[in-house]
Amino acid sequence: MIEIKNLHKSYKMGSNALHVLKGIDFSVKEGELVAIMGSSGSGKSTLLNILGMLDVADEGEYNLDGMPIKNLNETKAANYRNKFLGFIFQSFNLINYKTALENVALPLYYQGMNRKKRQEKALKYLEQVGLKEWSHHLPSELSGGQKQRVAIARAMVTEPKVLLADELTGALDSKTSYEVMDLIQQINDKGNTILVVTHENDIAHMCKRIVYLRDGVIVKDEKVKQVRAKEYVQ
């Protein structure tokens, strides 16, 4: 599903360059649930941004679902993102003046789906995350956990091949984090490929594999016995 070879990325810092990724080799099979861990500055968010086509590597190969991702103009990159990828962010990135339903339906608007169909589909995904009756509420009327559920529904509504989650529990308390991870595990149980960037050890162990980054290189990549979040959700 994801194949990366010899990935390098540097950023210019004045007259110097900061070498963030230093030859990453990494692959993810369909249906995996992978945590990417590392301290601040280890390169994990840069790696996720490249996987999400929000940034471009300086060197190396990236194949997504058998397609080489290189030399894409912004329109093509946006089309691929919309087709293949769903994003979940720590800060939710919801539009404040739009209802939960409108937020979830937005990616379908960009796909050109008509209003009736996209509202039906958005409602279906809100129901899947347990928020059907909150569909007409604004983000300001929702708790942190509910906002993240809306964000997950929005990421899922285009039925992407891969979900990319950047510190998705970073803004949540422990109980809510485990509820969100229970939902992520349920989505993964249906066969979705999911990558979770996290600095939280307990969250990482709710995945099936942990990749550790340090100073721009992978120092460890191991399968782990998955802890089911449901056990912690009362």
Side-chain angles (χ1 to χ4, degrees):
M1 178 56 71
I2 289 172
E3 193 75 47
I4 273 184
K5 286 179 186 162
N6 194 34
L7 209 68
H8 286 264
K9 180 68 184 178
S10 297
Y11 293 103
K12 278 209 160 38
M13 310 283 283
S15 57
N16 299 319
L18 181 66
H19 199 174
V20 182
L21 298 179
K22 303 168 183 171
I24 298 273
D25 291 308
F26 175 66
S27 63
V28 179
K29 293 190 185 78
E30 192 167 352
E32 281 199 272
L33 173 51
V34 182
I36 299 172
M37 289 198 82
S39 57
S40 186
S42 62
K44 57 189 191 298
S45 287
T46 301
L47 176 59
L48 201 74
N49 285 341
I50 290 170
L51 292 173
M53 296 178 234
L54 301 170
D55 204 346
V56 182
D58 301 328
E59 195 184 314
E61 293 174 27
Y62 171 24
N63 288 292
L64 175 61
D65 200 30
M67 297 176 77
I69 304 299
K70 61 178 181 183
N71 305 329
L72 301 181
N73 62 35
E74 187 42 51
T75 307
K76 212 164 189 182
N79 285 341
Y80 277 15
R81 276 197 296 271
N82 224 335
K83 182 178 174 186
F84 288 113
L85 304 169
F87 295 90
I88 309 162
F89 301 96
Q90 176 177 347
S91 53
F92 319 126
N93 286 14
L94 300 177
I95 296 171
N96 291 328
Y97 58 85
K98 288 190 179 290
T99 63
L101 185 71
E102 289 167 334
N103 267 285
V104 174
L106 202 56
L108 301 174
Y109 169 80
Y110 291 120
Q111 284 189 349
M113 190 180 284
N114 73 48
R115 190 166 181 268
K116 185 170 183 287
K117 266 193 179 161
R118 64 177 186 259
Q119 287 201 321
E120 282 171 4
K121 199 169 182 191
L123 197 59
K124 179 183 124 182
Y125 277 90
L126 275 173
E127 187 170 19
Q128 282 189 15
V129 300
L131 286 178
K132 188 179 179 182
E133 56 278 14
W134 293 81
S135 63
H136 295 295
H137 287 252
L138 293 169
S140 59
E141 300 168 317
L142 304 174
S143 69
Q146 287 173 321
K147 285 179 195 172
Q148 197 56 292
R149 284 169 178 269
V150 172
I152 290 169
R154 181 186 58 193
M156 290 295 298
V157 78
T158 57
E159 294 163 11
K161 303 243 184 203
V162 180
L163 272 183
L164 301 174
D166 194 3
E167 300 284 4
L168 85 162
T169 59
L172 307 174
D173 61 60
S174 294
K175 180 179 181 293
T176 312
S177 294
Y178 297 154
E179 287 169 356
V180 166
M181 282 308 293
D182 179 39
L183 182 57
I184 289 291
Q185 288 178 340
Q186 288 174 41
I187 293 166
N188 175 245
D189 289 344
K190 291 175 184 167
N192 286 82
T193 309
I194 307 175
L195 273 72
V196 177
V197 162
T198 182
H199 63 273
E200 298 170 89
N201 209 33
D202 54 344
I203 298 300
H205 280 84
M206 291 177 181
C207 299
K208 296 171 179 171
R209 174 181 160 202
I210 307 177
V211 174
Y212 297 87
L213 280 178
R214 187 184 300 142
D215 298 328
V217 294
I218 292 173
V219 291
K220 196 176 178 186
D221 183 346
E222 61 176 1
K223 288 203 161 120
V224 291
K225 186 178 187 311
Q226 186 184 37
V227 176
R228 295 300 295 194
K230 200 184 280 300
E231 294 169 24
Y232 295 90
V233 178
Q234 300 304 319

